[in-house]
Amino acid sequence: MLSASDNDLLTRTGPHTPMGEYFRRFWQPVMLSSEVQDAPKRIRALGEDFVLFRGRDGRVGCLDLHCSHR
């Protein structure tokens, strides 16, 4: 059985947490590509808000919800 502190260390995936930093090193499946159509989709993953979109060239992209470039 894990201690409460070990459990927190392994299960918290928000920004600036050890597991959050680890998970951000890899691709995370958050939605099927076929679900991303013309309108952008707002999602929440790893404790953060993002927007998924499909560009004019058909490629899927993901940005922070509050990106200054939007």
Side-chain angles (χ1 to χ4, degrees), residues 4-21:
S5 62
D6 286 343
N7 186 55
D8 283 348
L9 177 71
L10 294 173
T11 59
R12 299 206 185 268
T13 59
H16 312 296
T17 62
M19 286 307 288
E21 296 299 320

Side-chain angles (χ1 to χ4, degrees), residues 39-56:
K41 301 270 187 174
R42 183 177 176 166
I43 64 159
R44 185 158 181 85
L46 299 175
E48 296 186 76
D49 294 318
F50 297 99
V51 63
L52 294 175
F53 63 93
R54 188 172 296 278
R56 290 187 183 126

Side-chain angles (χ1 to χ4, degrees), residues 4 7 13-14 20 26-27 31-32 35-37 40-41 53-59 64 70:
N7 186 55
T13 59
F26 306 97
W27 287 100
M31 185 176 285
L32 294 174
E35 294 179 283
V36 184
Q37 300 296 324
K41 301 270 187 174
F53 63 93
R54 188 172 296 278
R56 290 187 183 126
D57 61 358
R59 293 173 46 187
D64 188 294
R70 289 189 61 223

